Amino acid sequence: MNFINKLIIPISAVLIISACNTKKESEVIETKITKDTIVLPIKNNEETVEGTYETKAEENDSGECRLTLQITKTKNGYSYFLKTKSRELKGTATFKDQKNGEKYLVLEGIKWAEYEGDISNEEENDSVSDSKDLEIPVGISASYVKDTLTIQNSGNSMNYYTKLSDCDRKYIELIKK
């Protein structure tokens, strides 16, 4: 028995090691491009942004934040048509890439509804006079990921602003139809 036990352990080890090293070869399929083959260019993010986007209804939604954004490719770039419950806006849409790789679509020419800037360090006496001297920003940026545009519509107590008064959501998500 002792001799059999000595043989079983090395044979088992060899079988386990050989089973782990056995790999199934992957099949390689070669394709040849002939004169009759048409190679379609791969679209980049800017090309796929074209289309119609809408806000999605949320729970307890009163319908106040129904926005439709249409992005159209023009010979000079892109244009937009934004429709809210109370107004319709047209203009140029441009792209901005951040250093971290995020992409933003900027709707040029839309004046923000409210802007008080950084109010975290203001003294009580200066708060009224400083807020009146600030210029209200123009242009609304939306982060662009696949088929969704996201606008941060409002700030917080330290950086107070509202971009679109037509919608009371902090983040407006526009999803491609």
Side-chain angles (χ1 to χ4, degrees):
M1 283 289 207
N2 212 2
F3 177 73
I4 293 176
N5 285 340
K6 288 181 182 179
L7 279 176
I8 290 176
I9 293 174
I11 291 173
S12 298
V14 169
L15 289 175
I16 291 172
I17 291 171
S18 66
C20 292
N21 289 334
T22 306
K23 292 183 181 178
K24 189 176 182 180
E25 290 186 28
S26 60
E27 186 178 333
V28 176
I29 300 172
E30 288 187 30
T31 57
K32 294 182 181 180
I33 299 176
T34 64
K35 291 179 184 177
D36 300 335
T37 305
I38 298 172
V39 179
L40 297 173
I42 297 172
K43 293 184 175 183
N44 63 20
N45 286 342
E46 290 183 18
E47 291 174 320
T48 59
V49 75
E50 186 175 9
T52 302
Y53 297 79
E54 290 183 343
T55 52
K56 203 167 142 181
E58 291 183 343
E59 194 175 314
N60 301 324
D61 192 4
S62 64
E64 292 293 318
C65 194
R66 299 288 165 123
L67 303 176
T68 303
L69 176 65
Q70 187 172 8
I71 305 295
T72 308
K73 185 161 180 63
T74 65
K75 58 183 171 184
N76 297 328
Y78 290 91
S79 65
Y80 71 87
F81 176 71
L82 177 65
K83 184 177 181 181
T84 70
K85 187 175 179 179
S86 61
R87 59 189 177 154
E88 295 179 353
L89 304 163
K90 293 180 183 180
T92 303
T94 57
F95 280 93
K96 287 191 178 178
D97 292 329
Q98 299 294 327
K99 289 179 183 177
N100 62 2
E102 288 185 52
K103 294 195 176 295
Y104 284 88
L105 181 71
V106 180
L107 307 176
E108 304 288 347
I110 301 175
K111 189 174 182 179
W112 292 14
E114 298 177 82
Y115 180 67
E116 292 183 16
D118 183 3
I119 58 176
S120 61
N121 294 325
E122 290 183 350
E123 296 177 9
E124 291 180 31
N125 297 337
D126 295 333
S127 64
V128 175
S129 62
D130 286 347
S131 65
K132 291 182 182 177
D133 294 340
L134 288 175
E135 187 174 321
I136 294 181
V138 176
I140 294 178
S141 62
S143 67
Y144 174 62
V145 178
K146 292 187 182 180
D147 63 348
T148 304
L149 294 168
T150 305
I151 299 169
Q152 183 173 346
N153 193 41
S154 60
N156 54 33
S157 61
M158 294 193 309
N159 185 16
Y160 181 79
Y161 64 85
T162 302
K163 292 180 181 178
L164 295 171
S165 61
D166 308 283
C167 181
D168 62 353
R169 296 179 189 173
K170 181 167 181 77
Y171 294 97
I172 300 171
E173 284 193 346
L174 297 153
I175 300 171
K176 195 173 194 178
K177 288 171 62 176

